Amino acid sequence: MWPLEVVFRTAAQALEEERGRLKMTTGSGDLDALIGGVELGRSYLFYGDSQEALDAIVHGVLVNSVLPVERGGFGAKALYFNNCNYHQGKTILNPSMLWELAKKAGLEPRGAFRNMYAICAFNEQQQASAAKEAADLLSRDGEIRLLVMHDLTRFLGTSRRPREAYLALREVVGPLWQMALRKGITMITTCEAREADVRHIPKPQGDAFLRHEASVIVYLRKVEKLRGVRACLVKHPYKLTPDSMILHVSEGGMDLMGRTTPTFRQ
């Protein structure tokens, strides 16, 4: 049996490693305060019914990952993996939003764009080949420090065989996640929420699979009377949950501003 002082020293070292982990800003000071910033090597899941807030977070972290470390970024490249129904939703990033965010962050937009890769899957079958392409890119380019997987469960809701689609998603995304984990890459995933009683926090699409893989989980819900979005911290490795705040998405969905609130329910 190990002496007590060895156990205590190990725990202290682990805590110090957590404190020293490189962090990136989301672009919102209030959201950073809620989740503790975006830490290098962790996996994050943002889900809910506010596509505007999810889009703002995705575009923000892609730009911020290019920022130098001393300015709240990773000073590295980012890979964007989008899952989208070609006929029903957006297939690419919003270049105008990225341009404005880059300028606001003090980056030269064209230079920032050269450090972002984008891969899209338009159906269930293409998702497998797109994930393989993403994994190959991660293995080749050691400068990538952020992997964003937008609308990851998009095809679960439209599949004629949801159970098979769920199993296929695990087989497709599992190896990609494992590679990112081994390389110390931060992963940010977005998806929709399952339907649930308004009195309770719904589970994400993909449920146990996504909840198990993510270190930090945030649920986003529109709050019409407050003209904003409530962000609820559902899971975190060292912060008490649930905790929540109100985010206000500005016109165009480019900025997130919030104020801390004590509870999740209205």
Side-chain angles (χ1 to χ4, degrees), residues 52-201:
E52 293 83 2
L54 292 173
D55 283 348
I57 290 170
V58 165
H59 284 72
V61 295
L62 285 171
V63 169
N64 292 335
S65 117
V66 180
L67 278 174
V69 172
E70 62 272 16
R71 291 171 56 193
F74 284 158
K77 296 179 180 179
L79 171 58
Y80 172 75
F81 183 106
N82 187 27
N83 299 270
C84 184
N85 185 310
Y86 185 81
H87 299 288
Q88 296 180 4
K90 290 178 292 185
T91 60
I92 58 174
L93 290 164
N94 185 326
S96 297
M97 185 184 294
L98 285 175
W99 187 280
E100 291 299 325
L101 286 172
K103 287 175 60 179
K104 183 177 179 181
L107 295 171
E108 198 284 310
R110 290 186 181 86
F113 294 171
R114 283 194 290 269
N115 288 291
M116 300 177 195
Y117 297 104
I119 297 175
C120 295
F122 300 125
N123 53 51
E124 292 178 61
Q125 293 72 33
Q126 194 178 37
Q127 193 175 47
S129 60
K132 183 179 184 303
E133 183 181 352
D136 290 342
L137 190 54
L138 290 182
S139 67
R140 293 197 313 269
D141 195 332
E143 295 183 22
I144 298 174
R145 285 290 173 265
L146 175 67
L147 169 63
V148 176
M149 292 173 284
H150 203 19
D151 285 337
L152 183 62
T153 58
R154 167 68 66 181
F155 307 123
L156 294 184
T158 58
S159 176
R160 296 180 180 179
R161 299 178 179 177
R163 176 60 180 172
E164 287 83 350
Y166 172 75
L167 294 175
L169 179 65
R170 293 188 59 174
E171 292 179 3
V172 165
V173 177
L176 184 57
W177 267 337
Q178 290 302 316
M179 176 176 290
L181 181 64
R182 289 195 304 270
K183 294 175 72 68
I185 294 172
T186 298
M187 295 172 286
I188 294 182
T189 303
T190 73
C191 70
E192 296 179 347
R194 284 178 148 186
E195 292 186 6
D197 190 308
V198 294
R199 295 171 297 178
H200 301 90
I201 301 174

Side-chain angles (χ1 to χ4, degrees), residues 45 47 210-211 214-219 232-236:
L45 172 63
Y47 74 103
L210 293 184
R211 288 190 290 118
S215 302
V216 178
I217 300 178
V218 178
Y219 168 59
C232 180
L233 185 64
V234 178
K235 178 182 177 182
H236 200 281

Side-chain angles (χ1 to χ4, degrees), residues 212-228:
H212 173 72
E213 294 292 340
S215 302
V216 178
I217 300 178
V218 178
Y219 168 59
L220 302 166
R221 188 189 71 187
K222 292 179 182 178
V223 184
E224 298 294 345
K225 67 180 181 180
L226 296 179
R227 296 181 181 178

